[in-house]
Amino acid sequence: MRRSPLATLLLAALVLPACLPRATTARPPPAPSLTTVADALFASVESEGTLASVFMVDAATGAPLYARHEHVRLLPASTMKVVSTSAALAAFGADYRFRTPVRLEGTQLGSLFLGDLVVEASGDPSLGSWRFPETAVACEQLAEAFHSRGIRQWLGAVRVLNADEGPYGLFGPGWAWDDAAYAYSAAPTPFVFRENVVDLSLERPEGHDCKSQPWRPLVVRYSPAFDAPPPVVYLEPNAQRAGVGCVRERGSGRIRCVWRSTAEQCPRKATMRVAIDEPQSLFTSCMEEALAVRGIWRVATAPRTASVPSATTSEPLLEFVSPSLAELVKVTNKESLNLYAERLGLRFTRERTGTESYPALRDAMTQELTRRGISSRLLRAADGSGLSRYNVATARGLVGVIYTSLKEPYAAALLESLPIAGVDGTLANIAASNGAKGLIRAKTGTLSGQKAFVGIAERPNDPEHPRVVFALMLGNIDEQPALTANQVFEHFAEAMVSLPLR
């Protein structure tokens, strides 16, 4: 019979007592408990040089139930999203929606509009996103608003207000420079469109493969198309692994990619999602395409018959409205979306300090955590997503965020946003085959050599402590450990939901 992973771990925890000389009257081995199993598990992990920091409390009372190195400071990675999303929920409530006003400034002469389309950036991370039915059709809504006014020609420009990133630029402090080209590191600009990413496709010309020369010209496309310099693509044959890797040039912002092929793999096409730093251009291109579908065209010059008046007017055209904050928080945490977490953190910062910047975010988050009784020695935020290597957290601090959130009106919205073990989000494939499936909701976090989990666990067989809040942080993980970080979590998760505490 095949033993379950937890059964094997229990056997290891009990092997020492079993090997001792038996007394005349043999005593049965002690029943396994969460404490004995967890201690054996984490001792094994630490014997390889990994540092395990763990804390668990009763969800109703906050009474500590298990602790191991709970004051040690490590990188929280994406568990930092629990901090930024709970802070935004605390400030605005689950029903809050971003509102992005759009107006026309100019004059309409029959079917011709002379003037500018003006958008007031609101920081809405979902504007134009494909994730929600109401945001995916933003350009079509705009075209319909033009059409309903009888506009068939337009001479003017798109202007986005409040889009200045300030003196600190587009990226958070402590972000890795070689992440900048990738979609997960899209800049959290005050004006966001289509999550500030596009699809980049590369295709070898017909009749050319990795062994034939020359390889160029490659077919390189952005989708959706927009006005931006094409990426610089280098071809590298005989690489150890096939694939595409990109970086963003300093200064120019242009993307440079290396398309690698091996002797065995020579793909004719490759596609990846890359970040852009000009969302206004992407928005303009999307809008023009939608206008053209409705028979509305931007023109370079006004018809000779049109007399341009000296006075202009400013009239509302429409207002883009985001999904509720509860829905935004849900995709942020379940899918671990860095851009959404940054925008929510910066919007919270503006609400509390009157400005958007990362120094202000640090101060605003410190004040919020202090309000909850969590000191900066336990948790210190440098950004909203966890990409920053300047974030510092302890298992005790992360547990404090979840525990205090359970006392707030938005508690249900935050819990609904957490991935469910074996069911969805970043926990969909974790603990799917053991007793923890469906009983744990937790945010995960991953950086090189680091892994963290924070959330709640249901204990259906424990009437005294039916629900617990926990955090597990692993640091300095070896490249080839005996147990992967996810396997460590799976063992601990099964013990949390099924074993007595002691």
Side-chain angles (χ1 to χ4, degrees):
M1 178 183 297
R2 184 181 179 184
R3 292 193 183 99
S4 71
L6 184 58
T8 302
L9 188 63
L10 293 177
L11 184 61
L14 300 175
V15 67
L16 182 59
C19 293
L20 293 175
R22 296 195 178 193
T24 304
T25 303
R27 294 182 180 179
S33 68
L34 182 146
T35 300
T36 57
V37 169
D39 282 347
L41 172 65
F42 298 128
S44 173
V45 168
E46 289 169 352
S47 69
E48 294 186 320
T50 295
L51 181 58
S53 176
V54 195
F55 195 50
M56 187 177 80
V57 303
D58 183 275
T61 66
L65 303 177
Y66 182 81
R68 186 182 185 92
H69 306 313
E70 73 274 20
H71 289 96
V72 170
R73 290 183 284 272
L74 295 168
L75 290 178
S78 283
T79 58
M80 186 57 66
K81 293 180 176 66
V82 170
V83 181
S84 55
T85 54
S86 67
L89 285 166
F92 304 111
D95 295 328
Y96 173 81
R97 296 174 188 268
F98 287 88
R99 297 181 180 273
T100 305
V102 182
R103 66 178 185 270
L104 295 175
E105 287 190 358
T107 302
Q108 185 171 343
L109 303 174
S111 63
L112 171 66
F113 176 69
L114 300 171
D116 293 343
L117 181 81
V118 181
V119 183
E120 294 185 31
S122 67
D124 177 7
S126 69
L127 182 60
S129 172
W130 59 91
R131 297 182 193 276
F132 306 96
E134 63 268 47
T135 61
V137 294
C139 295
E140 288 75 8
Q141 291 175 337
L142 192 59
E144 175 59 29
F146 265 73
H147 193 271
S148 64
R149 284 176 170 258
I151 299 173
R152 300 296 181 268
Q153 290 182 305
W154 170 37
L155 173 60
V158 176
R159 288 192 288 126
V160 179
L161 306 182
N162 307 320
D164 180 20
E165 296 89 9
Y168 297 98
L170 299 172
F171 302 102
W175 287 17
W177 69 269
D178 50 351
D179 286 344
Y182 295 100
Y184 63 78
S185 191
T189 48
F191 177 73
V192 173
F193 188 73
R194 202 181 177 273
E195 301 187 6
N196 289 358
V197 300
V198 296
D199 294 316
L200 170 63
S201 66
L202 308 176
E203 184 175 352
R204 302 181 195 277
E206 193 68 40
H208 288 73
D209 58 27
C210 290
K211 296 180 181 178
S212 61
Q213 297 287 343
W215 289 340
R216 298 175 186 270
L218 290 178
V219 180
V220 180
R221 294 189 183 93
Y222 284 128
S223 179
F226 73 111
D227 185 18
V232 178
V233 181
Y234 298 90
L235 299 171
E236 182 180 318
N238 302 317
Q240 292 184 346
R241 257 184 332 185
V244 181
C246 299
V247 296
R248 188 177 292 279
E249 287 182 344
R250 294 183 180 181
S252 72
R254 193 173 193 173
I255 294 175
R256 303 170 71 92
C257 298
V258 177
W259 190 5
R260 300 180 179 90
S261 58
T262 68
E264 296 77 22
Q265 290 180 293
C266 179
R268 184 158 178 257
K269 297 181 180 180
T271 303
M272 65 179 300
R273 188 160 282 171
V274 296
I276 62 167
D277 54 12
E278 289 295 335
Q280 295 96 321
S281 296
L282 186 57
F283 172 70
T284 300
S285 297
C286 175
M287 179 193 64
E288 290 180 341
E289 183 177 337
L291 290 175
V293 170
R294 297 304 303 266
I296 305 169
W297 304 96
R298 286 184 73 178
V299 295
T301 59
R304 293 183 180 180
T305 56
S307 57
V308 181
S310 57
T312 62
T313 61
S314 178
E315 296 184 16
L317 180 64
L318 58 75
E319 185 177 61
F320 294 121
V321 181
S322 77
S324 70
L325 184 55
E327 293 177 84
L328 299 180
V329 166
K330 190 172 185 178
V331 298
T332 301
N333 285 332
K334 284 197 180 288
E335 300 183 44
S336 205
L337 302 180
N338 295 319
L339 175 68
Y340 281 60
E342 294 298 341
R343 285 311 322 162
L344 295 182
L346 289 167
R347 179 65 186 89
F348 164 80
T349 299
R350 175 153 56 94
E351 181 71 14
R352 292 296 170 86
T353 69
T355 187
E356 283 191 9
S357 70
Y358 281 101
L361 181 146
R362 180 188 57 206
D363 294 341
M365 290 298 182
T366 297
Q367 294 171 12
E368 173 65 14
L369 293 170
T370 299
R371 178 184 74 83
R372 301 178 184 218
I374 304 169
S375 76
S376 59
R377 294 181 65 83
L378 295 177
L379 204 162
R380 185 173 67 247
D383 70 358
S385 68
L387 278 176
S388 175
R389 277 65 173 175
Y390 299 157
N391 292 309
V392 172
T394 64
R396 180 179 283 271
L398 289 175
V399 163
V401 173
I402 298 288
Y403 175 73
T404 55
S405 295
L406 293 177
K407 313 298 181 183
E408 301 275 352
Y410 62 82
L414 185 65
L415 290 185
E416 281 293 315
S417 77
L418 299 178
I420 304 173
V423 176
D424 64 12
T426 56
L427 286 183
N429 298 317
I430 295 181
S433 60
N434 66 25
K437 181 177 180 179
L439 294 177
I440 288 182
R441 290 178 176 268
K443 182 71 194 77
T444 62
T446 307
L447 285 173
S448 298
Q450 314 287 317
K451 189 78 177 185
F453 306 82
V454 59
I456 64 167
E458 307 293 343
R459 293 172 54 81
N461 300 320
D462 187 351
E464 185 178 1
H465 305 291
R467 172 183 277 185
V468 297
V469 181
F470 72 91
L472 164 62
M473 305 182 74
L474 301 171
N476 303 322
I477 301 172
D478 187 70
E479 290 184 358
Q480 294 181 321
L483 291 175
T484 67
N486 285 349
Q487 289 172 330
V488 172
F489 174 70
E490 287 178 337
H491 291 323
F492 181 58
E494 188 171 2
M496 272 196 297
V497 303
S498 63
L499 294 182
L501 295 175
R502 292 176 180 83

